[in-house]
Amino acid sequence: MSGVHVTQAITPRQERILRKVVDDHLRTGQPVASRTIAIDPEIDCAPSTVRNELALLEEHGLLAHPHVSAGRVPTEAGHRYVVDRMLSSGSGLPAERRLELSLIRSEVEEAMRATSETLSQMTNLLAVVSAPSLNTATIRHVEVLALQPQVVMVVIITSTGGVSKLLATFDSAVDPGLLTWAGEYLNERLVGLGLGARMLHQRLVDPSLSALELHFLQRLALALGELSAAEDALYVEGTARLFAAGQIEDATQVNELMSLLERRVALLGVLRAALGEPGVYVRIGRENEIPAMRSLAMVATGYGLARRKLGAVSVIGPVRMDYASAIVTVREAAHELSRFVEDAYAEA
């Protein structure tokens, strides 16, 4: 879905006026009057000419006139026009900023949390980051430990730096020698396999094993199966910050945002769609396919390895958002996360 586009090209002067309306409306939240535009030295034309150009931009569907005596506000199509020009030419985007994400942690979960927190702080928007799918990770190391005589914990360290812990309960106390053997056996059989691999269970079965060993492994295999079927993790930060900044004012936006956050599967689907685009994914208002985002806007991009995207970095907020800042910040966050996961995979 490519969004709303203008079929008839607008003139350079009309484009300058459109950008002026978008910028002023972003800054004030109020309709922009023609006299405000006319006194801008970059516009450099008479008030009557400005009024005429505003009327033409309104005919194109790029501006709206909320009240008879009020100024203009950008429509979703107006925002889309400006965003498309920024993405195609780079014009209007601020200089790249170095994000201090402090991704010096050993676990990918901490990297996701750091990224979502930093993104939210820098944009005052809702930041959502999807972690690499468990199905993309391979097993690097396995530990089998006794928490209690009858409770065993399996710790799996993955190629993305993730650490997963599984619990298995048995009817009687587990022999310590069996735990030691199981740790060595699981590492021998599973290291290098993907967590989502269908052959995971098959790799644990060996006809030469004793009945006791087979029973023990079958119980662990059930826990491993639950792990590989787990839903991808989402890291969300900044809901309170978005409201505190006064960016979400309309009751419809509040309700839709709350609905979206409650439906993690739908939100995950939106982020997966972003992975299908080569650059920055921007959806404005009604361009969004799911109803819960029809009054909101999203800027997202993928991160991961050179030839494979593993997850997405995004910000969500009102249609009246600073798209230039959001695009640059999301790009830089994705760049830093890509460096992090590349190092994690390289160590696998």
Side-chain angles (χ1 to χ4, degrees), residues 41-52:
E42 291 187 9
I43 304 300
D44 191 27
C45 58
S48 59
T49 305
V50 170
R51 287 192 293 271
N52 183 59

Side-chain angles (χ1 to χ4, degrees), residues 24-314:
D24 283 12
H25 182 61
L26 172 65
R27 181 171 47 81
T28 67
Q30 300 299 317
V32 182
S34 59
R35 62 179 177 275
T36 303
I37 299 169
I39 61 175
D40 189 321
E42 291 187 9
I43 304 300
D44 191 27
C45 58
S48 59
T49 305
V50 170
R51 287 192 293 271
N52 183 59
E53 298 285 40
L54 289 171
L56 291 172
L57 288 169
E58 197 169 341
E59 287 181 15
H60 283 306
L62 300 174
L63 297 179
H65 207 162
H67 308 290
V68 176
S69 59
R72 265 71 167 192
V73 298
T75 61
E76 291 177 7
H79 283 296
R80 166 55 64 186
Y81 186 95
V82 173
V83 166
D84 284 347
R85 291 302 177 276
M86 285 192 294
L87 289 175
S88 63
S89 68
S91 174
L93 292 176
E96 294 283 346
R97 295 175 290 186
R98 194 69 177 174
L99 267 66
E100 297 298 328
L101 294 181
S102 301
L103 300 185
I104 54 175
R105 300 162 172 83
S106 60
E107 296 188 16
V108 70
E109 289 87 348
E110 289 302 317
M112 302 299 114
R113 291 190 185 95
T115 301
S116 57
E117 173 64 25
T118 303
L119 265 177
S120 175
Q121 286 177 351
M122 294 191 69
T123 62
N124 278 332
L125 298 171
L126 185 74
V128 183
V129 178
S130 61
S133 169
L134 286 174
N135 292 334
T136 69
T138 57
I139 296 171
R140 182 190 295 174
H141 183 71
V142 182
E143 288 282 347
V144 182
L145 309 166
L147 284 187
Q148 296 173 16
Q150 295 172 246
V151 180
V152 173
M153 180 171 70
V154 180
V155 179
I156 297 177
I157 302 173
T158 71
S159 56
T160 57
V163 177
S164 298
K165 299 171 184 177
L166 313 170
L167 294 180
T169 304
F170 295 84
D171 295 333
S172 58
V174 179
D175 182 82
L178 186 59
L179 293 178
T180 302
W181 168 84
E184 294 172 353
Y185 184 82
L186 290 176
N187 277 291
E188 177 188 330
R189 290 294 181 119
L190 300 183
V191 167
L193 277 183
L195 276 177
R198 294 179 181 178
M199 66 187 79
L200 205 62
H201 187 277
Q202 298 172 356
R203 290 293 292 269
L204 297 182
V205 178
D206 186 335
S208 67
L209 297 177
S210 69
L212 178 65
E213 291 168 341
L214 279 172
H215 174 72
F216 184 74
L217 290 176
Q218 285 171 351
R219 182 66 190 87
L220 296 187
L222 289 174
L224 283 170
E226 292 171 4
L227 174 65
S228 64
E231 192 174 287
D232 294 351
L234 285 179
Y235 296 87
V236 181
E237 189 68 45
T239 309
R241 188 175 286 116
L242 187 62
F243 291 130
Q247 300 198 66
I248 297 290
E249 301 169 347
D250 184 80
T252 301
Q253 289 180 324
V254 173
N255 292 335
E256 292 190 350
L257 185 59
M258 292 301 100
S259 170
L260 180 66
L261 293 178
E262 289 168 2
R263 296 171 59 223
R264 291 292 181 104
V265 175
L267 184 52
L268 189 61
V270 174
L271 292 179
R272 283 178 179 150
L275 295 181
E277 295 209 357
V280 178
Y281 174 97
V282 180
R283 289 296 178 268
I284 301 170
R286 288 185 295 272
E287 294 176 1
N288 289 293
E289 294 182 1
I290 61 174
M293 289 192 68
R294 294 282 165 80
S295 68
L296 304 168
M298 167 182 268
V299 177
T301 194
Y303 71 87
L305 307 176
R307 297 182 181 178
R308 179 158 53 121
K309 292 180 180 178
L310 300 176
V313 175
S314 70

